[in-house]
Each structure stands twice: as C-alpha cells, then as structure tokens.
Amino acid sequence: MGQAFNTTISYSYALGDVAVTDADGSVYVGGLVGAAATVAKIDSSYAKGDVFVATAGEKYVGGFAGSIDNLSRVSNSYAWGDVSVSPTVASEGYAGGFVGLLDQSSLSYSYSTGRVSDQTLDATTLGGLVGKMNGSQAFVLNSFFLQYSGSSLQGVGTDADATGVTGLTQAQFQDTEGFMSLAHGWDFQNIWAPPSSGYYPELYALSPVVAVMAGSQVVSYGDSASALASNQYGGVDRYLLGQEGDSLTLDPTLSTSYGATNDVGNYAVSVSGVSSVTSEKGVAYRVVYVDGSVVVTPRALTITADNISKIYGDLASLSYSVSGLVNGDQISAVTLASDGTDGRDDVGSYVISASDASGTGLSNYAITYETGTLTVTPRALTITADSLSKTYGDLASLTYSANGLVNGDEIGDVTLVSSGANAAAAVGDYAVHASDASGADMANYSITYMDGVLSVLAKSGGNDSPGAGRPLPSFPMAGFIPSEFYAKSFYQGHGQSIALQGGLSGQSPSGEASDAASAAGDGSGSGAGSQLAYGSGGEVAGEMSLTDDPLLTGAVCFSGTSSAMICSGL
C-alpha cells in the first residue's frame, strides 16, 4: 500500500519484497505501507519482505512503513525484512528497521529483525527500529529491534537517548520467558504468541500457533502448592485463517520441584509436550510452551513480647511468644528491652520492645514484632509502732520499725501517736498508732501500719507510791469487799493515805457491816476515815483509808505489812 491516509488497518500482512529504483523527488517506501498519515491506525499486522531503495531524491525507508506521521498510531506489528539503500547520489534520507520517519506519531508493542544499511547516508540517519523521530508527540513504547553482532546501530537513528526501544540479540529475542519478562504491556494471551527457539514473536490472528502456558501461583512458605494446571492461548480460537469449527487437543506434562519445605523463592513449573499438533480439520499448529512458577513468599511470623509484672525492687525476666513457625524452624534469641527491668525502676507501666530475632529458617518469614507491657507493682512495706513502756509522769519517746525497704530507700518521717504518751497519762496500756510515712520513694510501696503498745507503769517506793496521786488498776469494787482481799497483806507506806472518793460498805469475816461513811466521820462518805481490812481467818490484815483525793475517785486500796499495794475500782 502506498499511503494509508486517515484510515484503519488491522490483521494485515505483506510477504513480498519491495524495491524502488526509479523515482523523482521524495519517496516513502515500506514493506506494508509507504506512508501512514493523518490519524491513521495500523494494528496487528506484519511485513516479511525486504525493502530496497535506489533513488537520488529524499528517502524515507522502513521494513514496515516509510513514514508514520501526523498523529498516526501503529501497534502490535512487526517487520522481518532487511532495509537497504543502494549507493547513488548522496541525498537526505532516513531508514529504520521498522519505519524511516516517525513524526508526531506513536509506535508501540512492535519489533523489527531486518538489517538496516545505506552506504550513501550518514550513519546517524539509520536506526535499528526508527530512522528519525520528530515532534513533541512522537514516541516509542516497549518496542524492540534485532541488534546484529558488530552493529553499532541505535534504536532511533537521530536520538541516542530515545526511550521505549531496546536492542536484543537473537538469543534474547527467542528466549521465551526472558523476552516475556522484558515485553511489558504485551498481550501474550490474546495477541502475541511468545517466541521460542528458532522463532520470533508472532500474531495469533495471522499465524497457526498455540501457546501452552503453565499456571503460576503464589504460596506462603510452608504451604503446599495447588494442583498444577495449564492454559492454552491462540490456536483455532484465534487464528483468522483457520477452518471454521476446527478443534485440537493437547495433553501437556507439568512438573515442579517445589515442596512445602522449600525456601522462599521462585520454582519453575515446567510444561512440555509435542512441538506441533494437527487440528481436526488438518491445520498444522506450532506449539509454544511457556513455563509457569510457584512463587514462595515469606510467611507471616509474629513475635510478641509477653506482658509481665514484677514487684518494685526485683529484676524483671522478660520473655516472648511466637506465632507462625513451620517446618521445624526455631527462634534461638530475641532482643527484648524495657525501661522497667531494673530493680530501681519506679512503680508504673513500661513498654517491652522485641527485635532482632535469630534462629533457623528465619529468612523465610516476614517478621512482625509486637510490644508487651511490663507492670511494676508496689512492694509490701510494713511499718510497726514499737511497743515500749514508761513510768507514770514521764513523756514517751515513740519509735517505729520498718520491714521491706529495698534499693537503699529511706523513710523520712512517720506520724506516731498514743494517748499514753503525755506525762499525765494514767497507768495502763495504750495503743501506739503509726501513719503517714513520708520519703522520696514511698510511692513505690504498699504500706501496712501495725500498732504498738505503750505501757504506763506506776512509780515505785517513797513519795512515788500510788497514794501520791497515781491510781493503780485493779478490778472494780461494788457493794462488799471481795473475800479474796481478806487474805492479802497491806501496807500503808510512809504516812501516805490510800484514798477512796465516795462511800463504801464492807463486811468483816465475822459478818459485821462496816459503813464507810461512818468511818469517814460524817456519815456521807465524803470525808476521810479508815477501817480495818480482815484476812481470811478474821484477823486484821491492814487499814483501809478514805480520802477526797480526786485522782483515786472510785478506788478502794489496801495496804499491808509488805510493800505490796492493791487498788480496785480504777
């Protein structure tokens, strides 16, 4: 075709050679079309013949088209023929394995394999794929040309930095999986039959080719692969020149070396079988086999720092848990870190981080580290008010003891109180209460306070006898003096009277009533007086005196011949 002007061409091909030797002016020569111009579209087509031009004028020569210009588009096409210009009068021209001039137009998913030569032109006007590319909207997308040994041709003759075009050796072109990995955007299921040894890519629509592709799958490390399978593309369903209603049968063999214990990586799924097959209606189809793969990806592995607690002052023992290990793989160590592990760390919550796991087979895992929490709880501390005694009339000096302090912590102060601490506290036992401990580190303790006992003791001898104002405890008096007192020995010390406030009725062992009020001398029990105390055999054991001493209100005291004294009613 001389010129494709604002037209669409699909599923077309040309097999013959093209030669132009006698022409005046500019010439546009290509294996399929001389010029594709003004929004022309050409798709899924090819030219296999050689192109030869020997003219004196301006020349645009390509294995597929002389020029593609003015917003035209060519895609999914190829040219196999050689392109050459005979030595005549030197003149401007551009030659490319696919197209001589690409002007404000695009070429995508296409290739050329022919040699390009012209001894009359400067080498910069020759390109392995495109002779000259011109205009801001001109571009090449994912296309290739055959790079012959010893040739220095670049993809675009006038642009060494052009993108979208790649030169390949024949071995690279005919490497099935290798070429497919380079040919981004090429449709090998519906348009292109992949290359194979001895064959370049071909179009399903125009060539009797079947592609058998092993299915690929992705599995996680440790998982088994699914059943192997293959798919068929092209063949009777795509070949436009085949017989209607035709069919063919293939039974490929599939195998893989992958097993569930294999490491992360890619494992081929090989597919093989007959190199050609004849359809039911007698059409011979070439068979291309494309291996698949089992892609083994890292398995998810989660390493979690365990949540733990410890008591303030103790060292923490950090640990971790693992979820996701398979195939007998093991973790030998994990770095665990937390600010709360030391015995001196305060009460509170601290993050535990996990990292840097080591062990066997871990390169097969995508490891996620989860943090844990270390909780430092208060330590038990017991503060006990010390038990102590003092003599009546003295002040008490209260103290305490502490059990549970660690880390050199100290108690600054403790509040100690007791109703028996002052000098006037009567003889007896009093609780000593401890509370409100203070100190720099007390927040790290759970404090228990224990009471102590303060015993107030009577002064002894001389003027310090109980009759001098210190009541001594005994059991209460009511009515008659209990008989057990009668056996006691009593003593009235140093002229000091033993006092009783109020009246007293008593009875001697013989049964004589002894009225305290009468003994007091006024009959009311409010004065001072005395009467005898009797022993258990009726003998006089001592003297009981009555007085108005307010410190001995309600008491009855006996003094014998020894230093012992007993008071009751306090």
Side-chain angles (χ1 to χ4, degrees):
M1 178 181 292
Q3 185 179 43
F5 181 82
N6 192 21
T7 189
T8 298
I9 300 173
S10 298
Y11 308 117
S12 299
Y13 62 92
L15 301 178
D17 296 337
V18 178
V20 177
T21 58
D22 184 15
D24 295 326
S26 299
V27 294
Y28 300 84
V29 183
L32 182 73
V33 60
T38 313
V39 201
K41 299 178 182 178
I42 303 176
D43 178 68
S44 298
S45 299
Y46 69 80
K48 292 186 177 181
D50 295 336
V51 177
F52 172 76
V53 174
T55 64
E58 187 177 51
K59 296 172 280 292
Y60 300 94
V61 185
F64 186 88
S67 70
I68 303 170
D69 61 52
N70 198 10
L71 304 180
S72 296
R73 292 179 293 172
V74 176
S75 62
N76 296 310
S77 299
Y78 63 92
W80 282 0
D82 292 339
V83 176
S84 61
V85 176
S86 177
T88 60
V89 177
S91 59
E92 183 180 3
Y94 303 93
F98 192 93
V99 61
L101 173 65
L102 184 65
D103 184 16
Q104 296 285 50
S105 299
S106 65
L107 174 62
S108 56
Y109 312 126
S110 300
Y111 73 93
S112 64
T113 62
R115 294 179 182 272
V116 181
S117 62
D118 186 347
Q119 296 179 3
T120 68
L121 302 179
D122 189 298
T124 58
T125 60
L126 302 179
L129 187 73
V130 178
K132 178 181 181 179
M133 187 162 63
N134 182 61
S136 61
Q137 298 188 58
F139 67 89
V140 178
L141 178 64
N142 294 342
S143 297
F144 304 89
F145 68 97
L146 181 59
Q147 185 78 63
Y148 286 90
S149 176
S151 172
S152 60
L153 284 183
Q154 56 200 36
V156 177
T158 56
D159 188 355
D161 298 322
T163 60
V165 55
T166 304
L168 301 176
T169 66
Q170 182 176 345
Q172 291 173 317
F173 245 125
Q174 297 181 358
D175 177 359
T176 305
E177 285 78 15
F179 181 81
M180 291 177 70
S181 68
L182 294 173
H184 304 294
W186 289 46
D187 186 349
F188 291 104
Q189 296 182 2
N190 300 296
I191 297 175
W192 287 103
S196 61
S197 180
Y199 295 91
Y200 294 99
E202 295 184 89
L203 297 166
Y204 288 130
L206 301 178
S207 300
V209 183
V210 179
V212 179
M213 299 187 187
S216 294
Q217 53 185 295
V218 178
V219 299
S220 293
Y221 168 72
D223 291 343
S224 298
S226 302
L228 302 181
S230 64
N231 296 292
Q232 297 179 17
Y233 302 98
V236 298
D237 294 330
R238 302 294 300 174
Y239 184 41
L240 297 180
L241 304 179
Q243 299 294 315
E244 186 176 352
D246 203 359
S247 64
L248 58 80
T249 301
L250 289 169
D251 186 19
T253 299
L254 294 157
S255 63
T256 183
S257 62
Y258 172 72
T261 60
N262 287 102
D263 291 337
V264 166
N266 292 350
Y267 298 84
V269 177
S270 299
V271 58
S272 60
V274 297
S275 59
S276 64
V277 61
T278 300
S279 70
E280 292 294 326
K281 295 191 175 183
V283 179
Y285 286 83
R286 181 172 61 88
V287 183
V288 179
Y289 294 94
V290 181
D291 290 343
S293 64
V294 176
V295 179
V296 183
T297 60
R299 190 177 192 85
L301 175 64
T302 301
I303 299 176
T304 303
D306 294 333
N307 294 326
I308 61 171
S309 63
K310 67 149 189 158
I311 298 172
Y312 168 74
D314 294 344
L315 295 176
S317 179
L318 304 181
S319 59
Y320 61 90
S321 302
V322 179
S323 176
L325 286 173
V326 293
N327 291 335
D329 295 335
Q330 295 182 343
I331 293 177
S332 58
V334 173
T335 298
L336 297 168
S338 176
D339 290 338
T341 57
D342 189 75
R344 296 182 177 275
D345 291 318
D346 292 335
V347 166
S349 296
Y350 299 84
V351 173
I352 305 173
S353 62
S355 63
D356 299 329
S358 59
T360 58
L362 297 191
S363 60
N364 294 309
Y365 296 89
I367 302 177
T368 299
Y369 295 96
E370 299 287 347
T371 61
T373 300
L374 168 58
T375 302
V376 181
T377 59
R379 192 175 194 85
L381 173 63
T382 302
I383 298 177
T384 303
D386 294 335
S387 293
L388 69 160
S389 63
K390 69 153 189 162
T391 302
Y392 171 79
D394 294 340
L395 292 174
S397 179
L398 304 180
T399 59
Y400 65 89
S401 300
N403 182 25
L405 287 173
V406 294
N407 294 332
D409 295 340
E410 295 181 347
I411 297 174
D413 192 22
V414 174
T415 299
L416 296 166
V417 295
S418 176
S419 58
N422 60 73
V427 169
D429 290 337
Y430 299 85
V432 182
H433 302 290
S435 63
D436 299 329
S438 62
D441 297 293
M442 291 299 100
N444 292 316
Y445 294 89
S446 175
I447 304 176
T448 299
Y449 295 96
M450 302 295 291
D451 288 347
V453 176
L454 170 60
S455 297
V456 180
L457 305 177
K459 288 187 177 182
S460 62
N463 295 329
D464 293 331
S465 64
R470 179 178 302 174
L472 297 177
S474 183
F475 57 85
M477 284 291 292
F480 297 101
I481 299 172
S483 60
E484 59 263 29
F485 275 109
Y486 292 15
K488 301 289 185 180
S489 294
F490 302 99
Y491 173 71
Q492 174 118 11
H494 302 288
Q496 299 295 322
S497 61
I498 304 303
L500 170 66
Q501 177 68 39
L504 172 69
S505 294
Q507 183 173 340
S508 69
S510 61
E512 292 184 21
S514 191
D515 187 272
S518 297
D522 61 2
S524 66
S526 61
S530 64
Q531 68 181 55
L532 297 178
Y534 299 91
S536 58
E539 73 278 10
V540 175
E543 182 182 38
M544 178 179 70
S545 297
L546 303 178
T547 183
D548 287 331
D549 189 339
L551 293 177
L552 295 176
T553 299
V556 175
C557 297
F558 298 90
S559 61
T561 57
S562 70
S563 61
M565 290 183 292
I566 296 176
C567 292
S568 64
L570 293 175

